[in-house]
């Protein structure tokens, strides 16, 4: 019995040491976040290791159902959640097409009338990969002359907006980050496009972009677009072209990577709220989008959470709840209440 207990203890120590991530000093509820981080990385490790379908976990589904219901009840609003097709069974552009189709259907006159929706008070929002889709769909809707009703505002919560440069300052600072590591992010993003392992290998070296894509680098040049506070002493080097032996059209498509949209596409965008988190691999995507939108005259409200982590909104319900998640929820709903 003693030997079994000792072996179990050693296994627990090995498990914890494998998934342990040091917590920054300003993190609230650090022990709880440490436990949630270990759980998230274990689940990701298991799912990716077994090659199963990458789908939303029960905790995430429950959290966002809670958020949607909370928003609807608090604002007396109609809230629609889009259950788009998921990778790796379905690659880009399936997810974008599902999101766009849902929004275009919702904007039909008969649907707006059926649910009593004011067509001048419509918002698109999303977090993380959902923030990517919300951004891309909003760009499409606002620039499509055939769509009568437009979006009043968009809300993007720690969105992932590019992979053109896979070695931003936030990638370096959060390489072994809380909840989302650089390696996991690269693996998940690559599955959005293909199951071929050559893509994540090239992305880890920042050599995945095709030869004809250098003109796009100006849209994600963090040495210009990031505030000095976040550039720190990092040295900018361009991604290396042609490290992938074949070309994936999605890598140069702004519908997949909305930061690649040109200025003329951005000029028509509505009032935008962007929330970024300091301890987040995707932090710099949101920061660069803030700069680019402001540069073309789009009104942007930006909140930066100094003790924030990626995916905080996934932790709003018991037993997986964080005060950080509830704080971001309240900021999100309050901003909608004042502006929608």
């Amino acid at each position: 019995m003693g030997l079994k207990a000792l072996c179990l203890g050693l296994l627990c120590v090995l498990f914890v040491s494998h998934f342990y991530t040091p917590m920054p000093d300003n993190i609230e509820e650090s022990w709880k976040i440490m436990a949630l981080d270990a759980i998230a990385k274990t689940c990701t490790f298991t799912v990716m290791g077994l090659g199963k379908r990458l789908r939303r976990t029960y905790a995430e589904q429950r959290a966002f159902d809670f958020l949607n219901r909370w928003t609807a009840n608090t604002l007396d609003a109609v809230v629609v959640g889009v259950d788009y097709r998921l990778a790796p069974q379905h690659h880009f552009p399936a997810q974008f097409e599902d999101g766009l189709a849902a929004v275009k259907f919702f904007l039909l006159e008969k649907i707006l009338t059926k649910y009593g929706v004011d067509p001048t008070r419509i918002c698109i929002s999303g977090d993380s990969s959902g923030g990517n889709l919300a951004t891309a769909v909003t760009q499409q809707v606002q620039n499509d002359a055939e769509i009568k009703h437009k979006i009043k505002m968009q809300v993007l919560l720690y969105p992932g907006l590019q992979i053109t440069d896979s070695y931003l300052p936030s990638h370096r600072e959060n390489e072994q980050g809380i909840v989302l590591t650089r390696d996991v992010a690269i693996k998940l993003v690559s599955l959005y496009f293909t199951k071929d392992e050559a893509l994540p290998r090239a992305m880890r070296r920042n050599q995945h972009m095709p030869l004809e894509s250098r003109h796009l680098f100006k849209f994600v040049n963090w040495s210009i677009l990031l505030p000095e506070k976040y550039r720190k002493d990092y040295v900018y080097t361009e991604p290396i072209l042609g490290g992938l032996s074949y070309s994936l059209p999605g890598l140069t498509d702004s519908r997949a990577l909305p930061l690649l949209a040109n200025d003329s596409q951005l000029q028509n965008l509505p009032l935008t709220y962007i929330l970024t988190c300091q301890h987040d691999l995707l932090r710099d995507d949101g920061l660069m989008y803030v700069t680019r939108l402001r540069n073309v005259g789009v009104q942007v409200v930006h909140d930066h959470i100094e003790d924030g982590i990626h995916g905080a909104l996934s932790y709003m319900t018991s037993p997986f709840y964080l005060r950080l998640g509830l704080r971001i929820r309240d900021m999100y709903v309050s901003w909608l209440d004042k502006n929608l």
Side-chain angles (χ1 to χ4, degrees):
M1 189 69 178
L3 181 60
K4 289 182 179 179
L6 177 61
C7 291
L8 179 60
L10 289 173
L11 284 173
C12 289
V13 170
L14 287 171
F15 172 82
V16 170
S17 64
H18 183 73
F19 291 107
Y20 169 72
T21 301
M23 294 292 118
D25 293 337
N26 68 337
I27 288 289
E28 184 182 27
E29 298 183 292
S30 58
W31 282 101
K32 186 183 288 187
I33 289 181
M34 193 181 299
L36 292 172
D37 175 62
I39 292 170
K41 288 174 180 173
T42 303
C43 292
T44 303
F45 177 81
T46 302
V47 171
M48 289 171 59
L50 295 177
K52 292 183 178 179
R53 186 182 185 199
L54 299 172
R55 60 166 57 247
R56 303 170 186 86
T57 66
Y58 172 75
E60 287 175 334
Q61 289 176 325
R62 183 179 177 187
F64 286 103
D65 180 66
F66 167 78
L67 178 62
N68 288 342
R69 292 176 185 274
W70 180 279
T71 304
N73 292 331
T74 303
L75 303 182
D76 189 25
V78 176
V79 178
V80 178
V82 180
D83 189 18
Y84 51 86
R85 286 171 288 176
L86 301 175
Q89 267 67 19
H90 304 281
H91 297 303
F92 171 81
Q95 297 81 1
F96 171 82
E97 290 172 346
D98 289 351
L100 181 62
V103 171
K104 291 175 72 172
F105 179 78
F106 184 74
L107 292 176
L108 292 175
E109 208 71 56
K110 63 179 182 180
I111 301 302
L112 296 173
T113 301
K114 177 180 178 180
Y115 292 101
V117 174
D118 182 346
T120 66
R121 300 176 63 199
I122 295 174
C123 172
I124 293 181
S125 66
D127 84 315
S128 190
S129 60
N132 171 288
L133 288 176
T135 305
V137 169
T138 301
Q139 290 178 359
Q140 184 72 24
V141 170
Q142 298 303 96
N143 288 289
D144 188 337
E146 295 184 1
I147 298 178
K148 175 183 176 182
H149 297 300
K150 301 301 181 181
I151 306 303
K152 180 180 181 180
M153 60 192 195
Q154 59 178 338
V155 176
L156 313 174
L157 307 171
Y158 44 84
L161 303 176
Q162 67 88 40
I163 57 164
T164 306
D165 188 339
S166 67
Y167 211 50
L168 306 180
S170 62
H171 296 167
R172 306 182 204 190
E173 292 173 23
N174 299 283
E175 186 164 3
Q176 300 301 324
I178 303 168
V179 176
L180 185 67
T181 66
R182 180 173 183 265
D183 202 47
V184 167
I186 285 174
K187 180 65 175 178
L188 294 178
V189 170
S190 66
L191 286 172
Y192 189 59
F193 298 98
T194 179
K195 294 179 182 178
D196 191 335
E197 288 293 328
L199 178 57
R201 286 197 297 269
M203 285 180 65
R204 291 186 189 99
R205 301 189 302 270
N206 210 16
Q207 298 178 3
H208 56 289
M209 292 301 291
L211 293 173
E212 67 276 11
S213 66
R214 175 166 275 113
H215 67 288
L216 299 173
F217 290 174
K218 62 185 177 183
F219 298 136
V220 297
N221 185 337
W222 60 262
S223 69
I224 298 171
L225 297 172
L226 278 186
E228 185 177 354
K229 173 183 176 181
Y230 303 100
R231 296 199 301 265
K232 295 185 178 179
D233 295 325
Y234 294 109
V235 176
Y236 175 75
T237 55
E238 282 192 349
I240 298 172
L241 297 173
L244 195 63
S245 60
Y246 57 92
S247 180
L248 281 171
L251 294 178
T252 58
D253 194 327
S254 64
R255 297 176 304 163
L257 310 174
L259 256 177
L260 298 183
N262 60 46
D263 288 352
S264 64
Q265 290 175 281
L266 302 185
Q267 288 172 348
N268 297 321
L269 295 181
L271 170 63
T272 300
Y273 177 85
I274 296 178
L275 183 141
T276 53
C277 292
Q278 178 64 22
H279 308 297
D280 180 9
L281 189 90
L282 302 183
R283 180 195 69 205
D284 294 348
D285 288 19
L287 292 172
M288 289 194 293
Y289 203 46
V290 169
T291 300
R292 290 205 58 208
L293 291 180
R294 286 177 174 167
N295 285 348
V296 297
V298 174
Q299 185 180 355
V300 181
V301 176
H302 174 224
D303 277 331
H304 184 70
I305 310 299
E306 289 291 345
D307 62 344
I309 64 170
H310 187 77
L313 277 175
S314 299
Y315 306 113
M316 292 182 293
T317 57
S318 181
F320 305 104
Y321 77 91
L322 295 172
R323 287 195 290 269
L324 172 64
L326 299 178
R327 191 179 357 138
I328 293 176
R329 176 205 67 185
D330 291 343
M331 293 171 65
Y332 164 68
V333 175
S334 176
W335 194 85
L336 287 176
D337 189 31
K338 292 175 183 176
N339 293 278
L340 188 55

